[in-house]
Amino acid sequence: MGKIEWAMWANEQALAAGLILLTGGIVGVSGQFRGWQFAAYAIAAGVFVCALEYPRSKRAKGTSVSRPGQHCLTMCVKAFGPLTRNYYVRAFLHAGICIPGGFMLATVLGCVCLGIASLIYLGAAVRGEHWEPILPRKDVRKPVGESIKNPPQNPPPRPPPEMRRKNINDLEGAAYDNPFSTTADEY
Amino acid sequence: MGSYTEIVWLGINVFLFVEFYLKFLVDRWFYTRVLLGHALPWARAPAACLNFNCMLILLPVCRNLLSFLRGSIQCCSRTAARQLDRNITFHKLVAYMIAFHTAVHIIAHLFNFEYFMDAQLNRNSSLLTFVLSEIGSGDNASFLNPIRSNETNPTFVMFTTVAGLTGVAITLALILIITSSVEVIRRSYFEVFWYTHHLFVLFFVGLVFHGFGRIVRGQTENSTATNNPLVCANRFEEWGRDGSGCEVPVFAGNQPGTWRWVLAPIILYVCERLVRFYRSHQKVVITKVVMHPSKTLELQMRRKGFHMEVGQYVFIQCPSVSRLEWHPFTLTSAPEEDYFSAHIRIVGDWTQALYEACGGDKNEPQEAWKLPKVAIDGPFGTASEDVFQYEVVMLVGAGIGVTPFASILKSVWYKRIQNNQEVFTKNIYFYWLCPETQAFEWFADLLHSLEGQMEERGVSDFLSYNMYLTRWKQEDAEHYWVQHQAENDPITGLKQKTHFGKPNWDNEFTSIASKHPRTKVGVFLCGPPQLGKSLEKQCLSYSEGEVKFIFNKENF
């Protein structure tokens, strides 16, 4: 299991946990359960976790598959610099976020799932992984020179006619190889 | 084709949901519904669907059982046999349904717990809900409300009941299984996927024990005789008094029923794992290892009693590389050969380790006894024997999809030449679409040898093949252009030239139709579905007059 990037799995788990927290929170608030304040918190926490975890990190090895429409959130997450880059911060952040969820039945599942994600992130951080934004690749094409728009007005400089005339006495020197055969089309 | 199974399955889900929803609207559950309202049937209906789907989920992955079934069905119906090949797709579909029903079930139970708690907290004897909750406080057996006091909270109750604990455990197992099974994780970190998936053992154990606490309680039969809810519900203050006509109702839980659904599939799956274990100990000998260019490893093997058909695949395990990983590979040998082979592209950890174990990175040939032990499970997959039913055949392979055709081409060749059989198939048109030159080599070798043999026997029109480089680089094109006059194709070394770009299917179909009037032409594809759709359209539009192009939806 040497080359596994645990952060990829932690990311999936955290995203799922965010959704579960959100759902539990919505149920708690709409059903007006006892302790609905925790449910309201869970809605906010769920949205935050989903937003943080939606942009996938660039993989250290191999091709990274980005989630649809993640570019905007990638920019937001990237703006926080080392806070979001470092997985230790994420691990402790998720551990902290999940605790209030444990006080109400509707949000307990989200709390435990986020706790598990936090543990996996801790493992990833210990192994030195970190978050890299997936940025769109800029296609670097050789810029077409300006001169292509202005074809030359004059023919290229040539040596004077005396030099261009082939010397009959030196046929060998006068011959040159065509890069491709100049026989007539046969097909 | 495959959608019929899915429609039937979906129909059964809907039927079970509705039936069990209605089942909890009868009088026996009247008092329970006083406490819970409609949250009760909303929890029980998905529970029934969960029983059904958990029964189904183990079946599509019993590949040896399916293979056996397919073999016996094949004589009756090829279509049914092909259904069984889409097992993993079905497994995933059932998994999604389990996740959906779990969500509905949990949300309904959240409401149930809240209502049960409400009934205990509103301690007012003039409320039916409170009176109902007090029942059974003496003997702790005939109660209705599983929350037995008001000095607790739903979370605590959940963690102290069998149903609650098992519920949390199996839901967590399910969530971990799902998050580790997404395509990104599955393709890149197979071990995480495979090991985490084994949490299904915990899932099934928890599932079976989930109902043992009998926490869902309804009125007993005897009790409904002495306390008819329709009559007595409003007279709850008089229950048990002489002359009221209403005794205090007695409640009991349902017998746990999940085991009845899942026992048989669990036994079948255990048998499946035993069969795989047995097969992994059958002796398989690697007779030859060939390193092909562009990181392709060919393993030629023999096993006692191995019998294959064209287009099938096997699972290969190499204990010295990994004890738990079995990976599928299409068989590239023909059934007529005395060995079976697979061409393995080296793309990941396991294939790389296999390559090194077979001595691929060393320059000298390996001694036979140094080659690693391997185990084979299979062969699986529907045989592609349909190819031999047509007089004229068009085979289209895209990229790595050309692999099953190696087996088919070799087999047709053997049948035609070596066995002196009158083979029905007289002409084969083969199209290979490939994004880069590098994947050509081993298959080109095969075609090269076929080409040579055909020339020797003067039957060069038997097989006509066309290679298409769909993605090409400037240098390739320049090199090719310069070598245009050479007799052999500079890329593959074959006499027939490589083309650039995509085939002009209109031309191809037209020319085949004109060469073979009054025949049925079979068209077989192993490649992306978009190509399949466009080929199918072409088949329909060119099937005029007496030439019929029949597109075979093979799923190699």
Side-chain angles (χ1 to χ4, degrees):
Chain A
M1 290 220 233
K3 300 189 188 86
I4 295 181
E5 289 178 50
W6 291 102
M8 300 301 294
W9 185 26
N11 171 265
E12 299 289 334
Q13 180 69 16
L15 189 61
L19 288 169
I20 295 172
L21 258 184
L22 180 63
T23 314
I26 292 176
V27 168
V29 166
S30 59
Q32 293 171 330
F33 289 1
R34 262 176 302 281
W36 63 270
Q37 295 90 340
F38 288 107
Y41 162 81
I43 294 179
V47 171
F48 173 72
V49 168
C50 283
L52 175 62
E53 296 293 339
Y54 189 73
R56 237 185 223 135
S57 164
K58 191 153 165 234
R59 282 166 59 176
K61 264 183 66 171
T63 40
S64 314
V65 180
S66 59
R67 293 199 176 98
Q70 82 167 39
H71 180 71
C72 181
L73 280 168
T74 310
M75 290 295 132
C76 297
V77 173
K78 184 166 158 250
F80 285 88
L83 274 183
T84 44
R85 206 179 119 88
N86 186 309
Y87 282 147
Y88 279 109
V89 172
R90 263 195 217 205
F92 287 113
L93 181 69
H94 286 324
I97 289 179
C98 81
I99 290 175
F103 287 95
M104 191 191 166
L105 185 60
T107 51
V108 147
L109 190 63
C111 159
V112 179
C113 285
L114 196 56
I116 294 178
S118 157
L119 284 172
I120 308 176
Y121 264 129
L122 192 61
V126 162
R127 294 187 73 239
E129 297 173 25
H130 60 265
W131 188 84
E132 276 290 334
I134 299 181
L135 296 165
R137 240 183 348 165
K138 293 189 186 57
D139 248 335
V140 179
R141 274 211 199 133
K142 269 206 298 252
V144 173
E146 273 300 313
S147 61
I148 204 168
K149 300 198 178 90
N150 302 320
Q153 313 287 339
N154 302 315
R158 289 201 174 100
E162 310 83 61
M163 293 207 52
R164 269 187 278 144
R165 215 170 286 129
K166 289 202 202 325
N167 196 339
I168 296 185
N169 302 327
D170 181 17
L171 275 175
E172 287 278 326
Y176 62 91
D177 263 18
N178 246 341
F180 43 91
S181 80
T182 48
T183 53
D185 283 347
E186 278 157 1
Y187 53 85
Chain B
M1 209 175 41
S3 48
Y4 288 134
T5 331
E6 275 126 40
I7 291 177
V8 168
W9 165 75
L10 207 54
I12 296 180
N13 269 286
V14 172
F15 168 75
L16 281 173
F17 194 97
V18 171
E19 192 197 322
F20 275 78
Y21 193 95
L22 295 174
K23 218 169 162 195
F24 282 83
L25 297 180
V26 300
D27 290 343
R28 188 178 158 224
W29 300 95
F30 185 93
Y31 288 125
T32 326
R33 286 200 312 280
V34 167
L35 290 186
L36 301 179
H38 274 263
L40 171 70
W42 272 108
R44 300 307 308 155
C49 292
L50 278 171
N51 280 335
F52 173 62
N53 285 296
C54 291
M55 171 184 82
L56 286 183
I57 193 138
L58 283 177
L59 298 177
V61 288
C62 293
R63 57 180 186 240
N64 284 290
L65 164 74
L66 291 178
S67 198
F68 171 71
L69 265 181
R70 190 189 297 113
S72 23
I73 288 183
Q74 216 163 243
C75 41
C76 318
S77 160
R78 297 296 305 282
T79 330
R82 242 174 263 140
Q83 297 272 54
L84 295 172
D85 278 336
R86 299 155 57 101
N87 41 357
I88 299 291
T89 317
F90 189 62
H91 178 83
K92 286 195 242 185
L93 207 55
V94 175
Y96 287 133
M97 192 57 111
I98 288 180
F100 170 72
H101 281 301
T102 305
V104 177
H105 182 78
I106 292 180
I107 292 177
H109 272 316
L110 285 175
F111 279 93
N112 286 341
F113 267 79
E114 187 71 13
Y115 294 153
F116 276 143
M117 198 69 227
D118 278 345
Q120 283 288 6
L121 288 177
N122 297 331
R123 300 190 87 78
N124 185 341
S125 304
S126 59
L127 286 175
L128 175 56
T129 50
F130 179 59
V131 170
L132 285 171
S133 305
E134 285 281 272
I135 294 175
S137 303
D139 58 4
N140 248 356
S142 54
F143 59 88
L144 169 60
N145 189 336
I147 301 187
R148 305 302 310 137
S149 89
N150 64 336
E151 282 160 21
T152 179
N153 65 61
T155 315
F156 182 76
V157 171
M158 181 184 77
F159 279 110
T160 50
T161 49
V162 170
L165 261 180
T166 52
V168 170
I170 67 184
T171 311
L172 276 178
L174 182 67
I175 292 173
L176 285 171
I177 288 176
I178 291 179
T179 56
S180 63
S181 303
V182 293
E183 185 146 358
V184 169
I185 308 280
R186 209 170 67 231
R187 290 206 185 283
S188 319
Y189 317 115
F190 188 79
E191 297 92 343
V192 171
F193 157 69
W194 185 240
Y195 290 122
T196 319
H197 230 71
H198 281 79
L199 281 171
F200 77 85
V201 175
L202 188 68
F203 180 85
F204 274 95
V205 168
L207 187 69
V208 168
F209 284 106
H210 190 56
F212 271 53
R214 303 186 191 219
I215 200 173
V216 177
R217 309 176 74 89
Q219 214 176 349
T220 58
E221 277 241 9
N222 295 341
S223 176
T224 39
T226 56
N227 179 324
N228 182 344
L230 299 173
V231 171
C232 294
N234 295 330
R235 305 202 274 168
F236 60 89
E237 273 134 1
E238 302 163 1
W239 284 348
R241 289 203 211 134
D242 296 325
S244 63
C246 293
E247 291 300 317
V248 176
V250 171
F251 300 95
N254 278 346
Q255 275 202 342
T258 303
W259 66 271
R260 280 187 214 126
W261 293 83
V262 299
L263 186 62
I266 289 179
I267 291 178
L268 283 173
Y269 187 75
V270 169
C271 291
E272 160 77 23
R273 292 299 285 257
L274 286 173
V275 167
R276 287 191 206 174
F277 180 75
Y278 166 71
R279 277 196 164 175
S280 69
H281 281 78
Q282 278 187 306
K283 200 165 147 81
V284 174
V285 173
I286 301 182
T287 53
K288 197 162 157 188
V289 176
V290 183
M291 271 311 301
H292 291 282
S294 59
K295 302 175 36 133
T296 306
L297 173 74
E298 178 187 351
L299 287 182
Q300 296 184 2
M301 297 164 275
R302 299 182 70 152
R303 189 184 81 182
K304 189 163 151 195
F306 187 84
H307 172 70
M308 67 167 278
E309 316 205 21
V310 289
Q312 291 196 304
Y313 61 94
V314 289
F315 279 81
I316 302 184
Q317 179 217 35
C318 188
S320 60
V321 170
S322 165
R323 289 200 153 275
L324 287 167
E325 288 183 55
W326 291 76
H327 293 272
F329 296 97
T330 312
L331 289 167
T332 46
S333 55
E336 289 84 1
E337 293 173 312
D338 61 355
Y339 61 86
F340 61 94
S341 71
H343 283 68
I344 301 169
R345 283 194 66 202
I346 300 171
V347 285
D349 289 352
W350 187 83
T351 40
Q352 177 70 27
L354 182 68
Y355 163 73
E356 282 160 23
C358 293
D361 47 353
K362 304 192 182 58
N363 281 330
E364 334 79 50
Q366 289 282 80
E367 304 278 338
W369 55 268
K370 278 201 196 141
L371 290 172
K373 196 166 85 112
V374 290
I376 297 289
D377 198 9
F380 301 108
T382 330
S384 312
E385 282 170 343
D386 284 349
V387 174
F388 306 128
Q389 315 274 10
Y390 294 91
E391 208 180 314
V392 179
V393 164
M394 273 175 77
L395 304 176
V396 182
I400 198 70
V402 79
T403 328
F405 291 123
S407 172
I408 293 175
L409 284 177
K410 281 200 241 188
S411 183
V412 174
W413 182 247
Y414 280 115
K415 281 188 165 63
R416 166 103 189 225
I417 296 303
Q418 296 195 352
N419 297 354
N420 263 337
Q421 278 175 20
E422 252 317 300
V423 177
F424 191 56
T425 312
K426 298 276 184 296
N427 289 92
I428 301 182
Y429 295 90
F430 183 65
Y431 300 87
W432 188 10
L433 286 64
C434 208
E436 47 189 11
T437 55
Q438 292 197 322
F440 275 104
E441 292 89 351
W442 69 267
F443 197 77
D445 287 345
L446 164 67
L447 290 177
H448 201 85
S449 88
L450 281 179
E451 192 178 40
Q453 293 185 45
M454 287 195 312
E455 267 202 41
E456 271 176 44
R457 293 165 207 270
V459 283
S460 340
D461 62 344
F462 175 60
L463 170 66
S464 113
Y465 41 85
N466 307 274
M467 269 80 66
Y468 291 85
L469 260 188
T470 51
R471 232 189 279 157
W472 48 274
K473 298 191 284 272
Q474 182 81 345
E475 308 94 63
D476 287 342
E478 283 169 359
H479 173 73
Y480 187 76
W481 185 40
V482 170
Q483 301 287 340
H484 190 70
Q485 301 290 359
E487 195 185 291
N488 282 14
D489 184 282
I491 294 173
T492 56
L494 294 163
K495 287 217 188 314
Q496 298 200 12
K497 307 289 192 197
T498 308
H499 307 268
F500 288 97
K502 296 202 173 107
N504 186 334
W505 291 115
D506 288 317
N507 285 355
E508 301 297 328
F509 275 87
T510 320
S511 90
I512 292 178
S514 60
K515 277 191 225 158
H516 302 279
R518 289 183 298 281
T519 34
K520 278 207 197 125
V521 181
V523 179
F524 294 82
L525 166 73
C526 184
Q530 308 96 298
L531 184 54
K533 287 198 187 86
S534 88
L535 275 181
E536 198 175 5
K537 274 197 217 116
Q538 300 271 14
C539 286
L540 290 171
S541 64
Y542 281 95
S543 289
E544 6 171 83
E546 299 188 316
V547 165
K548 295 250 175 309
F549 287 95
I550 298 164
F551 183 68
N552 284 267
K553 285 196 191 116
E554 287 291 337
N555 216 349
F556 289 110

